[in-house]
Amino acid sequence: MNNIKQVFSIKDLENLCGIKAHTIRIWEKRYNLLSPDRTETNIRTYNLKSLQKLLNVTYLVNSGYKISRISKLNEEEINEYVRSIVSDTSTKNQAINSFKIAMLNYDLELFLGTYEQLERKRNFRQIFTDVFIPLLKEIGLLWQTDTISPAHEHFVTNLIKQKLLLNIEKLQYIKPSKTDKAFILFLPENEIHELGLLYINYEILLQGYRAIYLGPSIPLDSLPNMLTFHENTIFVSYFTIKPEKDNVSKYVENFNELICKDRISEFWMLGKQIMHISKSSAPNHRYFESISSLITEL
């Protein structure tokens, strides 16, 4: 259990709860909301119980409750208020908080229990777009600010990946209803960030198209033989960190040279690295700013 993060700075709380450190200090002083410990140099530190309480308090404040009223409640009453106001429109915020606590505590049971609660009221598409995507964005910011470690990030992203794979498998048993085009999904060599591409694969299958998911780190020269899969093949890739910005335009050129020398195939691209591409007028190139914008084209 030594790898569980138990002590948090006020900056950690600010990052995790979205409440400014200045406001947290006011709540402590005026309402005695939290009781931080102090280091030898008089720096505030908070335990996991304080974090959980602040996450619930933040949820109530965002739901319209006055902090003066919340401060008069004990922790069990705060928890009860949170449970009582959870509804279809607000569940996602509480779920994101639960997933963050599960991540910090490496708590598999909490993750699975929270997911099961969501599943009772939402389909997988709604869970992924309404909860997992905002959660992943927050996790990225938390990692950048050193609030969490790479181990935290990998723990929760691998659990999300498992849910994606389970839901993709269900769709793979259904015969495609649309046969006018098919999709080949892959990531460039040394690119391993595949959650976004996996979700696109889910959406393609959900729309009734045929798809082959090749996964991460695929060499370009292994792709030409995929053209036999369908006479109208669309390649889809997600550039998160690879190719690097100085090489990404050349990578797209190499795709055309290798894949399109005998037959033109469309190439759909997403990810932050596409901003570094010298946009060509090639009619087979499509650049998408988001997953949702690509989905509208299916």
Side-chain angles (χ1 to χ4, degrees):
M1 298 290 285
N2 291 334
N3 59 353
I4 295 175
K5 186 166 183 174
Q6 298 283 0
V7 179
F8 303 88
S9 68
I10 196 166
K11 190 66 176 176
D12 289 337
L13 263 61
E14 178 180 275
N15 292 331
L16 286 160
C17 301
I19 301 295
K20 294 293 185 182
H22 174 69
T23 302
I24 296 172
R25 293 190 190 99
I26 291 174
W27 288 358
E28 287 175 12
K29 185 175 181 180
R30 185 176 300 171
Y31 302 110
N32 198 28
L33 193 70
L34 301 174
S35 300
D37 294 321
R38 299 274 183 168
T39 66
E40 293 180 357
T41 54
N42 204 35
I43 295 174
R44 288 174 172 84
T45 62
Y46 302 83
N47 58 27
L48 185 62
K49 190 175 181 180
S50 293
L51 169 62
Q52 292 169 328
K53 181 178 181 180
L54 187 59
L55 283 167
N56 282 332
V57 168
T58 302
Y59 180 74
L60 292 178
V61 169
N62 291 338
S63 298
Y65 285 76
K66 299 284 188 183
I67 187 62
S68 57
R69 179 184 176 187
I70 300 169
S71 65
K72 296 174 183 176
L73 305 173
N74 61 39
E75 289 189 28
E76 181 53 40
E77 288 171 330
I78 289 173
N79 293 340
E80 185 58 37
Y81 268 75
V82 168
R83 287 192 290 268
S84 69
I85 65 173
V86 168
S87 64
D88 285 336
T89 56
S90 60
T91 298
K92 68 176 185 179
N93 296 319
Q94 187 64 9
I96 289 172
N97 283 348
S98 293
F99 284 136
K100 284 193 286 189
I101 292 172
M103 173 187 67
L104 290 165
N105 221 14
Y106 301 106
D107 190 334
L108 176 61
E109 185 177 344
L110 178 58
F111 180 95
L112 295 176
T114 303
Y115 182 84
E116 287 176 1
Q117 288 181 359
L118 287 171
E119 209 172 21
R120 294 188 189 107
K121 296 182 178 181
R122 287 172 161 78
N123 59 38
F124 182 72
R125 170 191 267 181
Q126 292 169 327
I127 293 173
F128 196 89
T129 57
D130 294 346
V131 179
F132 283 158
I133 287 180
L135 174 67
L136 290 167
K137 288 179 179 177
E138 285 197 40
I139 288 171
L141 294 173
L142 294 172
W143 184 81
Q144 290 173 26
T145 56
D146 290 327
T147 305
I148 62 172
S149 70
H152 290 118
E153 181 189 18
H154 285 218
F155 172 77
V156 76
T157 54
N158 276 308
L159 288 172
I160 293 172
K161 181 179 176 181
Q162 287 176 26
K163 295 302 180 186
L164 259 172
L165 292 172
L166 284 170
N167 282 276
I168 287 169
E169 184 180 14
K170 292 175 185 176
L171 295 174
Q172 287 172 332
Y173 285 103
I174 302 172
K175 185 177 180 180
S177 58
K178 299 175 182 177
T179 58
D180 59 310
K181 55 190 173 185
F183 294 83
I184 307 292
L185 298 94
F186 72 99
L187 294 178
E189 284 188 271
N190 300 314
E191 177 63 81
I192 59 172
H193 296 81
E194 62 175 329
L195 279 183
L197 195 69
L198 271 172
Y199 184 70
I200 292 168
N201 187 40
Y202 168 82
E203 284 285 349
I204 288 170
L205 295 171
L206 188 65
Q207 295 291 333
Y209 290 105
R210 296 179 67 193
I212 292 292
Y213 186 84
L214 301 180
S217 199
I218 301 298
L220 273 180
D221 58 12
S222 68
L223 294 178
N225 63 1
M226 299 303 302
L227 293 170
T228 59
F229 176 58
H230 194 280
E231 62 182 12
N232 182 16
T233 303
I234 298 175
F235 290 84
V236 184
S237 194
Y238 209 119
F239 303 162
T240 302
I241 59 171
K242 297 290 182 178
E244 294 170 339
K245 64 179 183 179
D246 294 333
N247 301 321
V248 65
S249 290
K250 183 61 177 177
Y251 181 89
V252 176
E253 291 177 16
N254 290 341
F255 174 89
N256 271 2
E257 292 172 3
L258 284 168
I259 315 302
C260 302
K261 59 182 179 181
D262 296 322
R263 192 185 86 196
I264 301 296
S265 290
E266 288 190 53
F267 190 16
W268 293 9
M269 291 161 272
L270 306 90
K272 64 181 181 180
Q273 294 298 81
I274 67 170
M275 72 175 67
H276 303 295
I277 297 175
S278 300
K279 301 294 192 296
S280 70
S281 58
N284 63 318
H285 294 172
R286 298 286 305 276
Y287 306 103
F288 297 92
E289 294 183 357
S290 65
I291 291 174
S292 59
S293 63
L294 182 146
I295 291 170
T296 60
E297 294 295 313
L298 293 176

